[in-house]
Amino acid sequence: MTPDKQISKLVYMANQIGHFFASQTGDAKVDGVADHIAKFWDPRMREKIISHVRQGGEGVDALVKEAVMKLDDKTATPAI
Amino acid sequence: MALVTETDYGTPAPKSERKVALTIDGVGIEVAEGTSIMRAAMDMGTKIPKLCATDTLEPFGSCRLCLVEIQGRNGTPASCTTPVAEGMVVRTQTERLKALRKGVMELYISDHPLDCLTCAANGDCELQTEAGAVGLRDVRYGYAGSNHFDGKKDESNPYFTYDPAKCIVCNRCVRACEEVQGTFALTIDGRGFDSRVAPGQNEPFFESECVSCGACVQACPTATLSEKSLIAIGQPEHSAVTTCAYCGVGCTFKAEMRGEELVRMVPHKDGKANHGHSCVKGRFAWGYATHKDRILNPMIRAKVSDPWREVSWEEAIHHAASEFRRIQSAHGPRSIGGITSSRCTNEETYLVQKLIRGGFGNNNVDTCARVCHSPTGYGLKTAFGTSAGTQDFDSVDHSDVILVVGANPTDGHPVFGSRMKRRLREGAKLIVIDPRRIDLVRTPHVQADYHLALQPGTNVAILSAIAHVIVTEGLVNEAFVRERCDWSEFEDWAAFVAEARNSPEEVAKFSGVPADLIRSAARLYATGGDAAIYYGLGVTEHSQGSTTVLAIANLALATGNLGRPGVGVNPLRGQNNVQGACDMGSFPHEFAGYRHVSDDSARHIYESLWGVDLDNEPGLRIPNMLDAAVEGTFRGIYIQGEDILQSDPDTHHVAAGLAAMECVVVQDLFLNETANYAHVFLPGSTFLEKDGTFTNAERRIQRVRKVMSPKNGYGDWEITMLLANAMGFPMTYRHPSEIMDEIAATTPSFAGVSFAKLDEAGSVQWPCNEAAPEGTPVMHIGGFASGKGKFVVTEYIPTDERTGPRFPLLLTTGRILSHYNVGAQTRRTENVAWHPEDLLEIHPHDAELRGVKEGDWVKVLSRAGETTLRALITDRVAPGVVYTTFHHPTTQANVVTTDFSDWATNCPEFKVTAVQISPSNGPSDWQESYREQAEQSRRIISVEAAE
C-alpha cells in the first residue's frame, strides 16, 4: 500500500465517521468525530490524519478537519 | 467418573403454578396443575412402565404400557395422557394392570428380534428395561411375528442408521422431528405389521429433508435409530457435561466416553441454552478432533516458502519469543500484536489479551468479532449501556411477534431456530427482513406474516421507515419512553424519522420493498404484543452496521419492548465464544468488562496486579494491523485459533499484510490458510482436551470440561503461558479456574463467577455479581446500565459499493447448516457429504440472461478480485442478488469481497459486493495458483525422535 493509498484510506474512514456525526442533532458533531477517533484509532493512524490535515487535509470533509484539529490540540488523549 | 444420567419424567413439566393434591399408591403428593399422572408418580420416585412417552415430547398414549387405575373412574387410562385432578386416588400396580402390561409387552416382543447380545442398544434399551419391569417371562404368541429382518437398513446418513427390524412404532422419532426440531421430515408409513418410519417421501434419510439434528436418535427407545459411532465402539462407560464448540447458541452436551475415546455427544436435557436439543454439527461433527490433518508437533521455518520443520516445544516457543522481542527492539513496542480466538475459552482469550497488553506492552489485540459483531458491541453499548443481547433464549417462549433481521437461525443457530419455530407454531407472528428467502419465511407449519426482501445495503432505510410508521401513526409507547429514555433525544429522533424522506413510500423506491409491506410490518411490531428482535451478520457486516444496530435499538426503545421476557434486542452470535471473547477484553480499545484502556481506574487494577505499566492508547484493529503491516510499522503477530486469510475480506490485501510481516505465529488445530504465511506453528487443542468456559449469545457462561488428554501436549492456555514466560512476562496459573478467579476479581460484571459457582448452578448469565448473585437472564429491567436509553438519529447513507454496468449484481454471503465459519472443523467431518463445495445461488432470470445452467462453473468478478464456483439456480434470491457461502478455501469467496467497512468499527462489508457473473470453464488461474502455493506451504520435514 503506497503512502497515498494509506492516507486516502484514513481520509475515507474519517469522513465515514464524519457522515454519521454530521447527521446527529445538537452541537456535539465535531466533538463526536474527535472523540470517536481518539477512542478507537491507534496513535499512528491519528498522527497520520493529523499530519494530513496540517498539510491542508485534501479530501477531508470540513467537519472532520475541525475534529482532527481538536485532536491535534488535545494531543490525542481520548475521553472515556 | 460415572455416566451422567438424567431422569425421564415421561411428560413435560406444566407451566402452571397452581397446585393439585392427589394420592398415588397410598402416598399423598402435591404437583402443579396440568401434570400427568405419569410425571406426578415419577416426582415421588415411582416409575410407571412406558415406551412411547418421554419428557421431551408431548404425551401420545399409544403404547398402552403406562396404564393405571383411578378410583371412581372406569377402565385403565394411560397415565401419560391423563392429567392429575384434585383428590384423585391412583394405583400404579394392581393384578389387572400387571396382566394388561404383560400382554402388551408380549405383543411388542412377538415381532421384535431377540438379538439383544449383539444389539448396539444392549445395556441402554428401554424395551429391554420395560420387559424386565413388567416381568415378561414368556410370549404366548411365539416369536415369529413380522420382525422386518428382511427389511433393508438405511445407512445413508453419515452419522446414524435406521434398522426397521428394531422399530416398535412408538412414534417418538416422528414426534421429536415435529415437536423438537420442527422439520416434519418423518412419518410412519404403512399399517399394522407393515408400519415403518419413512423419511420424506419414503426415501433414504440422506436424500430426505432430514437435517440430521439427532432428535430422532435421541428419542428412540431401541436400537432402531443408532449412532454409527455407538455401533462401532459400544456403550460408553463415563461421561462429562460440556459445551459445544460450534455456534453461539452454546448447547450443553454429555461427552460420552469409553476411556479416552469419545463414543458420542448427547445433548444434555438440563442444558439451559438447548434443553436437550442439538444440531448436526454439535451432535455429530466432532470427528475433526482426531482427523489425520491435525498438527500435533510445533514447527518453525525461516521463510514462508520453506517447508515446515518439526521442533520441540521449547525451541518453537523460544524462537517465537525471541523474534517478537527482536522486532520490537528494531521497530518499537507497537510493532507487534495478536488476535484472540472466539473458538477458544474465556480463560484462553483473557490470557492472550493479557500477554499482548502486559507482555507485548501495547494494545494491538483484536478478535474475530471485528469481522462479525463488533457493531453490536458499539451499537448496544451506545443505546443501552451494555455490549450484549438483552434476553435469554427462553424469552422467545413469551414473544407474540418475532422480527428477524439479517439472520438465518435455522442454518446459523439451528437449535435456537427450532425453538423459534416452536413458538411460531404456537401462534407468534413473524416478520423477516432479509434479501434472501431464508427457510423461516416458509417452512412446515411456519410462514412469515411479512417478508421484507430488501436490496442488500438498505437496512437502515427500512428500519427508519418502520420507525416512521410507528411515530407518525401514534404507535410509540410514550409512557416507556418518558420513564426510561431522554425525552429530548427521543423528540429529535422522532422528528428525524417522521420526515417524508424516511416514509415507506420514499424508501420503497430504492429498497425494493413495497410501502404497504413496510407499513404492515411496522404496525405488527408495534402493536402485536411482546415483540422481540433477533438479528445476525446481515445487520452488522455493512458500512452502516453500527447504525443498523442503533436503528434496531431505537425500535425497541420506542415501543417499550425491553426489560421483560418476550421482548428485547438479541444478536445471534456466530462463533461459540464471540460474546466471551469480547467480554474478556479482546478489543484493542478496552479491557475485560468493556472498560476503555484510557480509563485510569481500570488500567491501574491491571497494572498493580500484573506488575507492569500498560499503554493507555487504543491499539490496532485487524484491518488496521494489515494496513500497518503493508506500510511497514507492524511486523509480528500471534494468532490463536483464527483464520484471517479465509474469513476476512479482500483476501489479496490480507495476504499482502501477512506476507509483509517478519514473524507470524499461528496456533491452531490445522495448517489453516493463514498458516501459509506463518513462520511458527503452535499446535492447538480441541474443546474436548481442556477445561474452561464459553459464553454464549445470551451471556450464559458455561463450563467446558476436559474429557481427553490434549493430543498436542498442551491446552491452548498453557501454550500462551509458555510464550508469556519466554517473553519475560510471568504467568503461573495451575488450572483455568485460577484464570477465571482473576477475571472475577478484576471485572465487575463477572465478580460472582467461579468454576465452583458454575459447577453448582450449571451456568450463569452475566452480570453476575453482588447485585445479581445468580446472574441476569433478562437485562434492563427497570433501568439501563447507562441510566437512560439513548435514541440516536440513524441517517441512511448508501454504501459506496455500487452496482453499475460492469458489476450489475449484488453478492451477499452467509452460512449453511452443515458447515461452520471457515469450515476448518466441519470440512474434516462427514458434513462435507451435504455441502462439498460453495455454490453460487443465482435467480433463474439472471442465470438465463447470462446463459448459466444449474451446476455450471461461473466466474464471480468484483472490483477486488475474481473466483469461480458452480451455480445453483434458485428463486430463493431476488433478481439482481446472488449469494454464496465462505466455507471452502478452494473457492475463497473473500477474494471478491471489498475492504469497505463499518464506519464505527471497521467490521467489513461482507454483505454487499457488486459483481458480474459469467460462465466459466473451471477454477480460475488464481485458484489454481493458490492451491499450488498452499500445497507447497504445507510441506513438513519430520524430525526423527532422538534415540
Side-chain angles (χ1 to χ4, degrees):
Chain A
M1 193 183 278
T2 62
D4 280 355
K5 218 170 165 191
Q6 288 160 23
I7 194 64
S8 65
K9 193 166 178 182
L10 290 179
V11 168
Y12 183 84
M13 286 164 57
N15 284 343
Q16 269 189 300
I17 296 167
H19 295 156
F20 175 80
F21 285 101
S23 65
Q24 300 306 299
T25 52
D27 51 5
K29 296 174 184 178
V30 172
D31 285 346
V33 176
D35 186 49
H36 191 90
I37 291 175
K39 262 183 173 170
F40 296 106
W41 284 28
D42 149 275
R44 77 196 80 178
M45 294 161 67
R46 292 206 309 269
E47 281 158 19
K48 276 204 193 76
I49 196 80
I50 289 169
S51 163
H52 180 69
V53 168
R54 277 190 201 142
Q55 290 164 37
E58 189 186 345
V60 181
D61 294 344
L63 171 70
V64 179
K65 265 188 197 167
E66 202 179 330
V68 171
M69 285 188 285
K70 268 199 157 182
L71 276 180
D72 198 5
D73 294 342
K74 283 200 297 189
T75 59
T77 303
I80 309 292
Chain B
M1 197 188 297
L3 209 55
V4 176
T5 54
E6 297 147 341
T7 302
D8 185 351
Y9 291 87
T11 62
K15 288 179 180 163
S16 171
E17 289 179 6
R18 203 164 151 252
K19 294 291 183 187
V20 170
L22 72 158
T23 304
I24 300 176
D25 295 335
V27 179
I29 183 170
E30 202 176 67
V31 295
E33 186 180 46
T35 304
S36 69
I37 292 173
M38 175 181 282
R39 188 178 179 98
M42 195 63 218
D43 265 349
M44 52 181 257
T46 298
K47 290 183 191 170
I48 298 175
K50 64 179 182 61
L51 282 172
C52 71
T54 186
D55 60 11
T56 54
L57 302 174
E58 292 302 317
F60 194 56
S62 81
C63 76
R64 314 314 295 171
L65 210 56
C66 70
L67 310 177
V68 291
E69 290 181 11
I70 302 172
Q71 190 175 299
R73 294 196 191 180
N74 291 332
T76 51
S79 63
C80 62
T81 52
T82 308
V84 295
E86 188 64 36
M88 184 181 260
V89 178
V90 179
R91 305 276 305 271
T92 69
Q93 184 79 342
T94 66
E95 289 306 316
R96 179 164 68 145
L97 292 173
K98 281 159 64 179
L100 282 170
R101 286 182 190 143
K102 205 178 276 188
V104 168
M105 188 55 85
E106 281 183 275
L107 288 168
Y108 273 113
I109 299 301
S110 69
D111 73 338
H112 193 83
L114 297 178
D115 60 347
C116 296
L117 288 180
T118 55
C119 177
N122 189 12
D124 185 29
C125 173
E126 290 184 40
L127 184 64
Q128 200 176 48
T129 303
E130 299 299 359
V134 302
L136 184 75
R137 299 292 175 260
D138 193 17
V139 174
R140 288 169 289 167
Y141 314 110
Y143 301 93
S146 182
N147 57 26
H148 298 267
F149 262 143
D150 54 347
K152 196 164 177 274
K153 277 191 195 176
D154 180 350
E155 297 181 316
S156 62
N157 187 287
Y159 296 117
F160 61 84
T161 62
Y162 166 66
D163 181 355
K166 305 285 169 66
C167 182
I168 59 171
V169 201
C170 65
N171 270 272
R172 274 163 63 163
C173 56
V174 176
R175 289 147 57 211
C177 191
E178 293 176 1
E179 295 174 26
V180 179
Q181 169 55 31
T183 294
F184 295 78
L186 304 180
T187 190
I188 298 293
D189 186 54
R191 303 181 65 188
F193 280 119
D194 295 329
S195 303
R196 54 162 289 151
V197 177
Q201 302 297 308
N202 215 347
E203 55 207 322
F205 266 87
F206 184 72
E207 291 167 26
S208 74
E209 62 267 50
C210 164
V211 293
S212 296
C213 67
C216 57
V217 181
Q218 171 90 340
C220 181
T222 68
T224 310
L225 289 157
S226 288
E227 298 92 345
K228 286 183 175 175
S229 58
L230 179 83
I231 295 170
I233 301 169
Q235 289 292 332
E237 41 79 26
H238 75 272
S239 59
V241 174
T242 193
T243 306
C244 180
Y246 280 119
C247 78
V249 175
C251 295
T252 309
F253 280 88
K254 293 180 290 181
E256 297 197 336
M257 311 294 296
R258 186 152 270 286
E260 282 212 322
E261 185 172 24
L262 180 58
V263 176
R264 61 183 176 182
M265 294 287 280
V266 179
H268 187 38
K269 208 166 63 177
D270 293 339
K272 290 173 184 162
N274 57 321
H275 298 289
H277 190 33
S278 58
C279 80
V280 63
K281 295 190 282 286
R283 178 76 152 96
F284 297 118
W286 37 265
Y288 68 87
T290 51
H291 194 275
K292 63 180 174 51
D293 286 354
R294 211 174 139 190
I295 303 295
L296 301 177
N297 296 309
M299 303 186 295
I300 62 174
R301 58 185 173 187
K303 301 193 300 291
V304 296
S305 54
D306 292 344
W308 285 106
R309 183 166 62 87
E310 289 184 343
V311 295
S312 67
W313 274 103
E314 192 181 17
E315 184 176 348
I317 293 290
H318 178 263
H319 180 73
S322 62
E323 278 293 281
F324 283 149
R325 285 299 186 223
R326 178 187 64 76
I327 292 169
Q328 283 191 302
S329 124
H331 303 284
R334 288 177 178 152
S335 58
I336 64 171
I339 300 176
T340 73
S341 174
S342 293
R343 298 211 288 270
C344 285
T345 64
N346 284 317
E347 294 73 18
E348 289 165 341
T349 304
Y350 177 84
L351 282 202
V352 172
Q353 64 90 34
K354 176 175 175 176
L355 166 63
I356 290 160
R357 297 187 202 282
F360 291 7
N362 62 53
N363 290 315
N364 292 331
V365 57
D366 208 357
T367 188
C368 76
R370 177 64 50 212
V371 297
C372 63
H373 268 290
S374 49
T376 289
Y378 178 85
L380 297 187
K381 186 166 187 177
T382 303
F384 306 144
T386 311
S387 299
T390 62
Q391 311 296 119
D392 58 358
F393 288 143
D394 288 353
S395 168
V396 77
D397 291 347
H398 305 276
S399 297
D400 301 309
V401 178
I402 297 171
L403 169 54
V404 177
V405 193
N408 185 3
T410 54
D411 277 48
H413 305 85
V415 168
F416 181 68
S418 291
R419 192 81 183 273
M420 195 181 264
K421 285 195 290 186
R422 178 187 283 210
R423 181 62 187 157
L424 292 167
R425 290 197 304 274
E426 290 170 350
K429 304 290 185 188
L430 175 65
I431 304 163
V432 173
I433 302 179
D434 201 294
R436 191 164 164 264
R437 196 183 66 238
I438 58 171
D439 281 352
L440 268 184
V441 172
R442 187 174 167 83
T443 193
H445 301 278
V446 169
Q447 183 160 3
D449 297 85
Y450 304 108
H451 175 206
L452 281 55
L454 74 179
Q455 273 286 96
T458 59
N459 283 335
V460 170
I462 287 286
L463 293 165
S464 292
I466 290 174
H468 175 96
V469 177
I470 291 169
V471 167
T472 58
E473 296 189 6
L475 307 179
V476 170
N477 183 338
E478 192 177 320
F480 180 91
V481 174
R482 282 193 182 278
E483 184 194 336
R484 303 284 299 274
C485 308
D486 182 309
W487 183 252
S488 67
E489 282 177 352
F490 165 74
E491 286 184 311
D492 289 342
W493 171 78
F496 159 74
V497 295
E499 291 175 33
R501 66 198 173 94
N502 291 319
S503 69
E505 289 68 25
E506 288 302 311
V507 170
K509 292 174 185 169
F510 56 86
S511 68
V513 182
D516 61 339
L517 209 52
I518 299 173
R519 286 194 177 275
S520 300
R523 289 169 192 147
L524 176 59
Y525 175 75
T527 65
D530 285 338
I533 301 175
Y534 293 87
Y535 72 88
L537 305 185
V539 159
T540 55
E541 290 176 342
H542 288 272
S543 60
Q544 279 203 289
S546 292
T547 315
T548 315
V549 175
L550 289 165
I552 285 172
N554 288 336
L555 291 183
L557 288 169
T559 54
N561 277 308
L562 286 161
R564 62 185 184 277
V567 298
V569 174
N570 306 281
L572 294 171
R573 304 277 183 161
Q575 301 205 51
N576 53 313
N577 201 35
V578 173
Q579 180 70 55
C582 298
D583 300 341
M584 292 298 101
S586 292
F587 287 136
H589 64 282
E590 57 196 10
F591 296 115
Y594 304 99
R595 292 161 294 166
H596 199 274
V597 292
S598 64
D599 176 343
D600 290 341
S601 60
R603 205 173 58 257
H604 291 159
I605 292 171
Y606 294 106
E607 285 179 333
S608 72
L609 187 68
W610 299 346
V612 290
D613 289 336
L614 297 176
D615 194 349
N616 67 348
E617 291 282 11
L620 292 166
R621 301 177 282 201
I622 293 172
N624 311 144
M625 290 180 195
L626 296 165
D627 292 345
V630 173
E631 168 197 70
T633 63
F634 187 81
R635 292 172 182 251
I637 192 166
Y638 170 43
I639 305 174
Q640 184 181 76
E642 171 85 354
D643 191 358
I644 57 173
L645 191 71
Q646 194 181 337
S647 64
D648 287 27
D650 195 357
T651 305
H652 294 306
H653 182 56
V654 178
L658 289 168
M661 294 187 208
E662 294 172 24
C663 182
V664 174
V665 178
V666 167
Q667 182 174 322
D668 210 297
L669 300 175
F670 305 103
L671 279 172
N672 61 20
E673 306 311 306
T674 304
N676 294 342
Y677 291 89
H679 305 86
V680 179
F681 186 88
L682 304 175
S685 54
T686 73
F687 75 113
L688 298 165
E689 298 167 341
K690 57 197 179 188
D691 283 303
T693 58
F694 291 150
T695 306
N696 75 356
E698 48 167 2
R699 296 169 281 104
R700 188 181 297 284
I701 308 159
Q702 304 187 104
R703 277 297 313 275
V704 176
R705 291 186 173 88
K706 179 177 171 180
V707 291
M708 58 179 72
S709 313
K711 297 195 187 318
N712 58 322
Y714 292 107
D716 290 283
W717 60 282
E718 294 172 293
I719 298 166
T720 302
M721 282 176 49
L722 289 172
L723 186 56
N725 289 326
M727 292 193 71
F729 182 57
M731 290 189 188
T732 56
Y733 307 99
R734 289 163 300 179
H735 189 269
S737 62
E738 296 178 357
I739 305 171
M740 178 53 84
D741 291 343
E742 181 173 316
I743 295 164
T746 55
T747 313
S749 52
F750 276 66
V753 183
S754 67
F755 277 33
K757 174 76 183 175
L758 295 172
D759 290 343
E760 172 207 322
S763 63
V764 292
Q765 290 169 271
W766 69 258
C768 175
N769 47 30
E770 205 171 74
E774 299 308 316
T776 312
V778 175
M779 296 186 89
H780 314 308
I781 297 173
F784 293 101
S786 51
K788 295 281 188 184
K790 186 174 180 61
F791 280 94
V792 177
V793 170
T794 54
E795 186 75 58
Y796 169 58
I797 299 167
T799 173
D800 287 324
E801 177 68 1
R802 307 279 170 85
T803 54
R806 283 182 62 212
F807 304 106
L809 304 172
L810 283 179
L811 169 73
T812 185
T813 62
R815 281 171 289 177
I816 199 162
L817 171 67
S818 51
H819 281 299
Y820 174 69
N821 204 265
V822 294
Q825 291 142 288
T826 46
R827 280 186 283 108
R828 292 177 172 94
T829 69
E830 299 294 332
N831 279 24
V832 289
W834 285 281
H835 191 76
E837 59 186 325
D838 293 319
L839 299 170
L840 183 84
E841 291 187 5
I842 182 168
H843 190 273
H845 175 72
D846 292 324
E848 190 178 346
L849 270 178
R850 291 163 177 77
V852 172
K853 296 190 296 296
E854 178 88 7
D856 279 357
W857 282 98
V858 290
K859 182 169 81 175
V860 183
L861 178 70
S862 76
R863 293 179 182 92
E866 67 175 63
T867 188
T868 59
L869 64 174
R870 291 182 195 276
L872 172 67
I873 298 174
T874 172
D875 64 359
R876 193 184 273 272
V877 288
V881 177
V882 290
Y883 167 88
T884 190
T885 50
F886 59 99
H887 302 306
H888 289 269
T890 47
T891 309
Q892 287 279 17
N894 284 319
V895 168
V896 295
T897 53
T898 68
D899 70 350
F900 285 118
S901 65
D902 173 46
W903 67 269
T905 65
N906 274 156
C907 181
E909 189 166 53
F910 286 115
K911 302 298 184 187
V912 187
T913 307
V915 297
Q916 177 59 292
I917 307 294
S918 57
S920 172
N921 292 327
S924 66
D925 291 344
W926 182 84
Q927 282 170 294
E928 292 291 356
S929 70
Y930 180 81
R931 189 179 54 76
E932 279 169 30
Q933 184 210 345
E935 276 174 17
Q936 283 291 310
S937 176
R938 289 180 178 135
R939 289 170 298 152
I940 298 172
I941 299 172
S942 292
V943 177
E944 294 283 324
E947 288 291 319

